[in-house]
Amino acid sequence: MKILQNLGLLIFLTTCFTGCDQLMNKIAANYLKSSLKDTCGEDDPACIAAVEKQFDTCHKRSEKEWDSYINSSSSNEDKLLKIYSEKMYSCIVNDKGEPYFYYNPE
């Protein structure tokens, strides 16, 4: 019986941590989306509209890179953030197909 209780607890905790991981990813993505809209500024409604319309699709296309970054060790973190950011930022474009954003770690 004790083994079943421990197994049940393990399954419960695993489910909770998986849910927390997904929640943290969603929070981070929403923060990035909000930051990009702030970067657009209030005077550029076309940029804000592009972020609103394109962000989710772009983030989904960059999901593999995002997951690699989130799950990386600190030694690879900067490199993987650069890969994700360059792909993500170049995906949000104006009506001429030019990116609104460029990754600059400075």
Side-chain angles (χ1 to χ4, degrees):
M1 186 68 164
K2 180 115 170 124
I3 293 174
L4 288 176
Q5 288 174 338
N6 288 340
L7 184 58
L9 180 61
L10 180 62
I11 291 170
F12 174 75
L13 290 174
T14 302
T15 303
C16 288
F17 288 134
T18 300
C20 288
D21 195 36
Q22 290 172 350
L23 179 62
M24 290 303 293
N25 281 337
K26 187 166 181 76
I27 290 170
N30 284 335
Y31 176 77
L32 176 58
K33 184 177 184 177
S34 178
S35 296
L36 291 176
K37 290 192 305 188
D38 287 345
T39 300
C40 290
E42 293 177 9
D43 297 333
D44 194 348
C47 177
I48 294 170
V51 172
E52 280 294 330
K53 184 177 180 185
Q54 300 171 27
F55 182 87
D56 292 336
T57 301
C58 291
H59 187 66
K60 190 170 198 113
R61 286 182 190 160
S62 305
E63 200 166 29
K64 182 179 138 207
E65 291 80 5
W66 175 257
D67 289 342
S68 294
Y69 164 66
I70 291 296
N71 296 316
S72 68
S73 64
S74 59
S75 62
N76 289 328
E77 201 170 77
D78 291 339
K79 180 180 95 175
L80 294 171
L81 177 60
K82 180 180 182 215
I83 292 168
Y84 166 76
S85 297
E86 287 175 347
K87 185 173 182 180
M88 181 66 190
Y89 291 178
S90 67
C91 184
I92 299 175
V93 297
N94 64 18
D95 57 354
K96 297 177 185 175
E98 298 169 355
Y100 275 106
F101 308 100
Y102 296 95
Y103 178 66
N104 182 1
E106 303 287 318

